[in-house]
Amino acid sequence: MTGHVYKSTGSWYTVKSEQGDFIECRIKGKFRMQGIKSTNPIAVGDIVDFELDETSDTTTGTIHNIHDRKNYIVRKSVNLSKQTHIIASNIDIVFLLVTINNPPTTTSFIDRFLVTAEAYGIEAVLIFNKIDTYDDAMLDEQLYLQHIYSQIGYKCLKVSALEKKGLEQLKEMMIGKVNMFSGHSGVGKSTLVNALEPSLNLKTKHISEQSKQGQHTTTFAEMYDLSFEAKIIDTPGIKGFGIVDMESTEINGFFPEFFKLKDQCKFNNCLHKEEPHCAVKKALEENKIAWSRYNSYLKILEGDDEHYRSDINNEDRIASDETRKAP
């Protein structure tokens, strides 16, 4: 039998069969011995082959084959720095929820996420959430960020789940696709999913007033069928993205605005740092490329992602003055 993995809890996997039945499955031990560098050999979104266990009193199954993935998105394992954790696979669009200060989302986090999506060939869309809470200063920051990323070519949406703003436009983008929602804990993923599909009634929690950070409500990634012919993968809140298995010479290729200028640089292997006649540095000086993007690129290039966390500080705050000028 063939099915789609809808939920993973580490040892059990909920698989929806082609007949529409949900079956709890385990995997054969050999999957853990095939040299897969991920902490989870099977992820939500995987297409798998499985057999029903005839000896079981309840209907369970055993997965014996994983189909090739068209893509997947990863983060570094929380406890095992040299391994990765596959968040989800076979994704059509990944939506990154961005909030200005409730909790804050840094440009470093946004850029790491976009680089990861570019590297794995997944369309990424930025959702500026909770717009009903913005004052004038926050609105200025949001518009500044929207300008940066829309100029690069990324689609940006403004949404308020509470006031039902932007939901129809979001639904139109999701129809017929496997969609993933991601972002920090507390950015409103579950609230937004509930607004799109109230019958799901996903758990939500308020932002901690002391830390201004979200509290985790989603423990494992899970996929849901929506009534408007779309699938959505809800993911746990993510504190930081590491850049996994990426050579320094290829990182700039995942910054679309850098890649467009690459052939104008004097050197084919230009890293856009100290090299002479660099088209990227020239565009930077002419304010055709955002300093926040360039700063993110340097941090990734220098390997700062090894120690990267999304904790907010004065130097890395979203759309702050420091992100708008040369370091």
Side-chain angles (χ1 to χ4, degrees):
M1 299 179 70
T2 300
H4 221 139
V5 178
Y6 270 58
K7 187 175 183 179
S8 165
T9 60
S11 56
W12 285 95
Y13 303 89
T14 303
V15 179
K16 184 179 181 181
S17 71
E18 292 178 330
Q19 291 73 35
D21 299 318
F22 287 93
I23 300 167
E24 297 298 313
C25 296
R26 290 185 181 271
I27 61 174
K28 288 186 176 180
K30 69 176 184 178
F31 281 117
R32 300 186 185 276
M33 305 299 291
Q34 290 179 335
I36 300 174
K37 293 182 180 180
S38 169
T39 58
N40 55 326
I42 296 177
V44 170
D46 278 344
I47 299 172
V48 297
D49 297 323
F50 65 98
E51 298 174 349
L52 295 179
D53 298 332
E54 298 178 356
T55 57
S56 175
D57 293 334
T58 58
T59 303
T60 59
T62 302
I63 297 170
H64 59 83
N65 181 52
I66 307 172
H67 291 217
D68 290 340
R69 297 165 174 144
K70 73 175 183 180
N71 59 41
Y72 54 93
I73 197 162
V74 304
R75 64 173 169 82
K76 288 192 175 181
S77 172
V78 174
N79 298 318
L80 301 171
S81 61
K82 293 184 178 180
Q83 288 191 300
T84 62
H85 179 83
I86 301 174
I87 300 171
S89 68
N90 299 316
I91 306 159
D92 293 314
I93 302 179
V94 58
F95 294 91
L96 179 63
L97 273 67
V98 176
T99 46
I100 301 302
N101 72 346
N102 191 28
T105 307
T106 66
T107 49
S108 290
F109 180 83
I110 295 171
D111 294 335
R112 277 172 168 79
F113 188 91
L114 294 177
V115 165
T116 301
E118 291 280 349
Y120 291 98
I122 305 171
E123 180 183 358
V125 175
L126 299 183
I127 296 180
F128 293 96
N129 198 25
K130 304 183 182 181
I131 60 171
D132 55 288
T133 67
Y134 292 1
D135 58 23
D136 289 343
M138 293 166 63
L139 181 59
D140 284 344
E141 292 192 4
Q142 184 274 316
L143 291 174
Y144 171 71
L145 288 177
Q146 182 172 335
H147 172 73
I148 288 177
Y149 291 104
S150 60
Q151 286 288 102
I152 295 168
Y154 291 107
K155 295 176 182 176
C156 299
L157 299 177
K158 293 192 293 185
V159 169
S160 168
L162 295 181
E163 296 186 352
K164 312 296 184 185
K165 293 181 179 178
L167 298 188
E168 290 305 315
Q169 186 181 2
L170 177 55
K171 283 183 177 182
E172 289 177 7
M173 296 183 68
M174 296 172 63
I175 291 173
K177 300 182 183 298
V178 175
N179 308 274
M180 187 179 102
F181 278 23
S182 195
H184 291 319
S185 298
V187 294
K189 293 188 302 297
S190 297
T191 300
L192 181 54
V193 175
N194 287 339
L196 292 168
E197 192 72 84
S199 62
L200 289 179
N201 195 27
L202 299 185
K203 292 181 180 179
T204 62
K205 282 190 179 179
H206 296 293
I207 301 297
S208 166
E209 285 300 321
Q210 181 176 1
S211 66
K212 294 297 181 182
Q213 296 293 313
Q215 302 178 51
H216 294 283
T217 53
T218 308
T219 307
F220 301 99
E222 186 167 0
M223 184 157 63
Y224 301 94
D225 292 321
L226 305 181
S227 59
F228 51 95
E229 298 183 0
K231 297 181 189 297
I232 189 170
I233 299 174
D234 186 31
T235 64
I238 300 168
K239 285 193 173 182
F241 265 92
I243 306 302
V244 180
D245 294 332
M246 199 174 291
E247 298 295 331
S248 60
T249 53
E250 63 180 349
I251 292 173
N252 62 72
F254 302 126
F255 283 76
E257 71 274 41
F258 293 14
F259 185 74
K260 290 178 181 178
L261 299 172
K262 189 176 179 67
D263 60 354
Q264 299 178 33
C265 292
K266 180 177 180 180
F267 300 103
N268 292 332
N269 60 347
C270 185
L271 292 179
H272 317 307
K273 292 181 66 178
E274 306 298 334
E275 298 90 343
H277 306 293
C278 171
V280 170
K281 291 296 291 289
K282 181 182 178 182
L284 192 65
E285 295 295 339
E286 296 174 351
N287 292 320
K288 295 178 180 178
I289 288 177
W291 278 104
S292 59
R293 291 279 288 172
Y294 186 69
N295 290 340
S296 294
Y297 167 71
L298 291 181
K299 289 179 182 179
I300 295 171
L301 192 66
E302 293 164 4
D304 282 3
D305 57 291
E306 289 288 341
H307 308 288
Y308 174 73
R309 291 177 59 83
S310 66
D311 300 336
I312 306 304
N313 54 57
N314 291 333
E315 295 179 355
D316 205 24
R317 188 177 178 83
I318 189 169
S320 69
D321 289 339
E322 294 300 317
T323 67
R324 304 189 193 195
K325 62 185 180 181

